[in-house]
Amino acid sequence: MHYDIVTLEDKLVVGITDRTNNTAPDVGEKISQLWQRFYTKTVLTQIHHRIDDTALGIYTDYTSDEKGDYTVMTAYEVSEASDDQDLLETKVIKGGKYAKFVIKDQQEQVFSKVAEAWQVIWQMDLPRLFAADFEAYHLDPSGICEVHIYISLKE
């Protein structure tokens, strides 16, 4: 699977989180429910100072135990944090070196393609940092969705 090495700046993000791991029987359901909650009026109206309409799926706070827990976050990048974001969390995705994978398909098919890409990425011998990995969802008005998957790498 092709990827490019890119260097990113820090990103300030605001959104909602949950904790899971890839061996949990409900991991897919938890992540799906997090996205559903994210797209409610209650959440979206509290995210101020958005940079653009690119939704982010972020994976951080990995544990080093055999369970492999991590935090999953659905968010938008923002230019500054706000004080009135009661239900939301603010995080910084640290800048640095990332492997960037690109998936492009019709919106209805792109999610299964992203899941397939993760299966391949997990098997790759990348010098992963496990600081923050994330997906950036770019939706075209024509219904084409381009997803960039970023994997944090050791310097």
Side-chain angles (χ1 to χ4, degrees):
M1 177 178 234
H2 174 76
Y3 63 91
D4 293 313
I5 301 294
V6 297
T7 302
L8 301 178
E9 299 294 321
D10 286 358
K11 293 181 179 299
L12 180 65
V13 298
V14 173
I16 56 175
T17 63
D18 202 348
R19 194 97 177 129
T20 192
N21 69 70
N22 289 339
T23 61
D26 64 344
V27 64
E29 185 178 331
K30 261 190 166 180
I31 293 172
S32 177
Q33 288 174 354
L34 189 67
W35 280 104
Q36 288 171 11
R37 277 189 22 232
F38 180 69
Y39 281 112
T40 64
K41 185 178 178 184
T42 307
V43 172
L44 291 180
T45 58
Q46 286 196 35
I47 301 178
H48 308 295
H49 313 293
R50 286 183 6 195
I51 300 278
D52 58 25
D53 290 327
T54 302
L56 304 173
I58 307 161
Y59 309 93
T60 62
D61 305 322
Y62 296 95
T63 61
S64 58
D65 62 17
E66 69 283 347
K67 204 166 144 190
D69 285 353
Y70 57 88
T71 299
V72 60
M73 179 180 206
T74 51
Y76 282 114
E77 184 177 3
V78 296
S79 57
E80 62 184 86
S82 295
D83 294 334
D84 62 342
Q85 297 170 325
D86 303 345
L87 306 172
L88 307 177
E89 293 188 39
T90 302
K91 287 185 179 261
V92 174
I93 299 174
K94 289 289 184 194
K97 189 164 71 167
Y98 286 80
K100 176 185 173 185
F101 299 82
V102 177
I103 314 303
K104 190 173 183 177
D105 207 332
Q106 292 291 327
Q107 185 175 359
E108 300 80 30
Q109 283 82 37
V110 79
F111 300 108
S112 63
K113 295 269 177 93
V114 168
E116 291 170 13
W118 275 109
Q119 295 297 319
V120 173
I121 291 166
W122 290 329
Q123 302 304 314
M124 295 177 78
D125 188 24
L126 295 170
R128 293 186 64 185
L129 184 59
F130 292 100
D133 302 323
F134 65 99
E135 305 153 353
Y137 289 85
H138 309 275
L139 182 59
D140 183 279
S142 69
I144 298 293
C145 188
E146 185 169 304
V147 181
H148 299 173
I149 301 175
Y150 294 92
I151 306 298
S152 60
L153 301 175
K154 296 175 182 172
E155 291 293 328

